[in-house]
Amino acid sequence: MTTTTAPAAGVAPTLRRLYFVRFAFALVWAGLLFATASSLGPISVALLVLYPLFDVVAAVLDARSARTGKPIAALYVNVAISLLAAAGLGFAASSGIPGVLRVWGSWAIVAGLVQLVVGVTRRGLGGQWPMILSGAISVLAGASFIFQATKDGASLTALAGYATLGGVFFLVSALRLGRGRKAQEQ
């Protein structure tokens, strides 16, 4: 693993902006889902499908900023996984909240593993420990969503909490990337 180089340092400001956008999106999305989480209506279903589609856009922008290196392949794996999740969530919504939780949980596990890999490969860039931790937590949360789907009274509100926590990790990573950049400029 190499340390931060000039091309890698050019990636940090782009990632920082992307992470701030992901933080804001996660908070707004979580608030909207929490407000509509009591049932699977048109708005909550649209929100459920929108979240992985937003992840697709973010992964493509992330891959374009990286240009080269190991993270790109993992980011495109994430694109494929998130597209499948969006479609799966659309179909699962017709079977009820437990079906949605199973699909979301499966997606959280695989996407968390991908995020973990990307964070580890970028750790020389700085600001990636929150992403590594977030990836690991996503794997655990995904398993809990699948387990929750087997219980009576399954709810979508945990997904809003999951998105909020993920957004906080993006915020922390963005702030840490900014600190790393300032240290390099001095």
Side-chain angles (χ1 to χ4, degrees):
M1 178 66 53
T2 61
T3 57
T4 306
T5 61
V11 172
T14 303
L15 277 180
R16 187 170 191 250
R17 284 188 300 272
L18 180 62
Y19 289 176
F20 278 129
V21 169
R22 292 192 74 161
F23 163 70
F25 175 82
L27 287 188
V28 170
W29 183 90
L32 291 171
L33 184 69
F34 188 76
T36 63
S38 61
S39 66
L40 279 172
I43 294 174
S44 59
V45 171
L47 287 168
L48 290 167
V49 172
L50 177 64
Y51 196 92
L53 291 177
F54 182 83
D55 196 52
V56 167
V57 172
V60 168
L61 292 173
D62 191 344
R64 286 184 180 169
S65 74
R67 294 184 196 90
T68 60
K70 292 180 183 177
I72 290 181
L75 290 168
Y76 283 118
V77 166
N78 190 52
V79 167
I81 292 163
S82 294
L83 285 172
L84 287 171
L89 287 164
F91 286 115
S94 65
S95 68
I97 291 175
V100 167
L101 289 172
R102 284 184 197 95
V103 172
W104 191 284
S106 300
W107 174 53
I109 290 168
V110 178
L113 290 171
V114 170
Q115 185 177 17
L116 189 61
V117 167
V118 171
V120 167
T121 59
R122 285 183 168 162
R123 71 182 183 274
L125 181 62
Q128 294 304 300
W129 283 108
M131 294 294 90
I132 292 167
L133 184 57
S134 177
I137 290 171
S138 185
V139 171
L140 297 174
S144 76
F145 296 142
I146 293 170
F147 179 72
Q148 184 185 31
T150 66
K151 302 294 180 190
D152 290 335
S155 168
L156 298 175
T157 57
L159 302 183
Y162 168 80
T164 301
L165 183 60
V168 169
F169 278 115
F170 278 111
L171 175 63
V172 171
S173 191
L175 294 172
R176 290 182 53 86
L177 279 169
R179 255 194 330 196
R181 187 183 68 182
K182 287 178 186 172
Q184 287 175 345
E185 290 172 354
Q186 294 177 352

